[in-house]
Every structure is written in structure tokens, then in C-alpha cells.
Amino acid sequence: MKIILLGYMGVGKTSLSKKLSKKLEIPCFDLDEIIEKSESLSVSAIFKDKGEVYFRKIEHQLFKNFIEKEENYILSLGGGTPCYANNHLLLQNEDVTSIYLKASIGNLVEKLKNKREKRPLIKNLTEDELQEYIAKHLFDRNYYYQNSKLTVVVDGKSKKEIVKEILQLI
Ligand code: S3P
């Protein structure tokens, strides 16, 4: 079984993938962590020292390598992964179940307002700017997120409920 979790920053991709991994007894991986290990740098440091274009290049290479090689996994992507280098097309691969974790703008603002520091794209925004940024960004990214095979709305649901819903769908 190959499951890919995607969605906007802060939606809970990494923590949900850990919970699913326990339930399904298959290993979970996080693309940001894979990138950090490969570069021996944090995502923030890669953005700062090498720039976003470099990050997107590495992100694409490592994503492609991962899904070609690994068997039986849950992989959580970075929020932007589906939106660059035609990565969204890989979400349609026959043997992969890709799941878009969909959250409203208001929910994302709540989740992200105190978690900006480690996220280079929103790090320098004020709380007031965050709402408008997310609204625009989500609008742009929606097209790519919609390429996933399944969508689960996370608003108003506990992690446990979301995991249950995913288990029913797959
Ligand atoms: C990004 C999301 C981050 C990380 C990088 C860029 C994005 O991952 O890949 O900061 O473009 O949305 P999370 O979604 O895990 O925060």
C-alpha cells in the first residue's frame, strides 16, 4: 500500500501520517525530513542559503526517487510539493493513493499563527497578513491539490476522526 498525504502547511500531514502508520503497520516518511537529511540542513536553512528554486529542485528529485523505489509507505509531502515541477502528475500514479487534507482558510490561520517560525514562506508575515496570504496561496494551489485521488475535509474534526475517515476511504 502506498499512501501520499498532501495539503497546505499546518494541516497536520506529518502527525496524521504517523497515526496512520501505527494503524496500518506500514512505515511513514516525511518529504521535508528526507530533504533535510539529504542536504544536512533544515528546510529554513536551505531556503535562506540556497533559495527556493534550489529547494524545489531537490524536493522534486527526492520525491520522484522515493516513489519509484519505496514499497508500502505513507509519505507526507511539503505543502508546496504538488505545485512545482509537475509533481502533481505523480499523485495520479496507478499504485498510489493520494489524499488531499483540505482545510478552510480560517482553520489554517488558526493552526499557523503560532507556527510561523520554521516555515520560511510565512515567517515574516504578521498575523493580519497571514489571512490574506493563505487565501491567495490556497487559491493558486488548489488546482494542484485537486489532482489527488481522495479528499478529506479536516475542519472541525479531531485527528482520531480524520484517521478513521481515511481508513474507511482507502
Ligand atoms: C512549504 C511547506 C513546508 C516546507 C517548505 C515549503 C510550502 O512543509 O516544505 O517550508 O511551500 O508550502 P509543511 O507543509 O510541512 O509545512
Side-chain angles (χ1 to χ4, degrees):
M1 181 177 282
K2 301 179 177 192
I3 298 177
I4 297 182
L5 297 184
L6 60 133
Y8 204 73
M9 290 177 267
V11 79
K13 300 177 290 287
T14 310
S15 62
L16 287 165
S17 100
K18 286 183 185 155
K19 289 193 190 305
L20 271 177
S21 160
K22 281 198 191 124
K23 288 271 180 205
L24 294 168
E25 298 181 343
I26 52 175
C28 65
F29 302 88
D30 180 70
L31 187 60
D32 280 340
E33 264 176 39
I34 295 173
I35 297 168
E36 290 181 334
K37 271 192 203 138
S38 157
E39 290 290 299
S40 304
L41 281 176
S42 67
V43 168
S44 297
I46 302 172
F47 267 73
K48 189 163 162 278
D49 300 349
K50 304 191 171 183
E52 182 172 353
V53 173
Y54 179 84
F55 176 83
R56 297 302 175 192
K57 207 171 111 194
I58 297 295
E59 180 182 48
H60 171 66
Q61 276 166 2
L62 293 172
F63 179 38
K64 203 162 155 281
N65 289 351
F66 184 93
I67 63 168
E68 275 166 11
K69 277 194 214 135
E70 297 289 334
E71 309 230 331
N72 279 330
Y73 61 78
I74 300 162
L75 176 69
S76 48
L77 302 182
T81 315
C83 317
Y84 295 88
N86 278 336
N87 291 336
H88 66 292
L89 301 178
L90 302 173
L91 304 176
Q92 286 291 332
N93 278 8
E94 211 178 312
D95 59 342
V96 154
T97 306
S98 47
I99 307 175
Y100 171 31
L101 301 168
K102 187 172 181 175
S104 65
I105 298 161
N107 187 359
L108 290 170
V109 172
E110 277 310 303
K111 286 187 194 296
L112 285 168
K113 66 181 184 194
N114 299 320
K115 290 188 191 152
R116 276 168 283 179
E117 198 46 44
K118 284 191 181 153
R119 293 185 163 94
L121 294 177
I122 55 172
K123 193 175 155 192
N124 297 319
L125 301 179
T126 64
E127 203 176 312
D128 287 346
E129 289 167 336
L130 194 60
Q131 164 114 12
E132 204 189 332
Y133 181 86
I134 294 175
K136 282 191 185 145
H137 211 196
L138 202 55
F139 183 79
D140 291 339
R141 289 185 163 187
N142 206 28
Y143 167 80
Y144 300 98
Y145 291 159
Q146 301 291 356
N147 272 276
S148 60
K149 292 187 184 164
L150 301 172
T151 296
V152 170
V153 174
V154 303
D155 296 334
K157 295 175 190 163
S158 68
K159 293 246 155 77
K160 207 171 161 190
E161 287 169 327
I162 300 166
V163 167
K164 200 171 154 205
E165 198 171 321
I166 293 176
L167 293 173
Q168 282 163 353
L169 284 171
I170 58 175

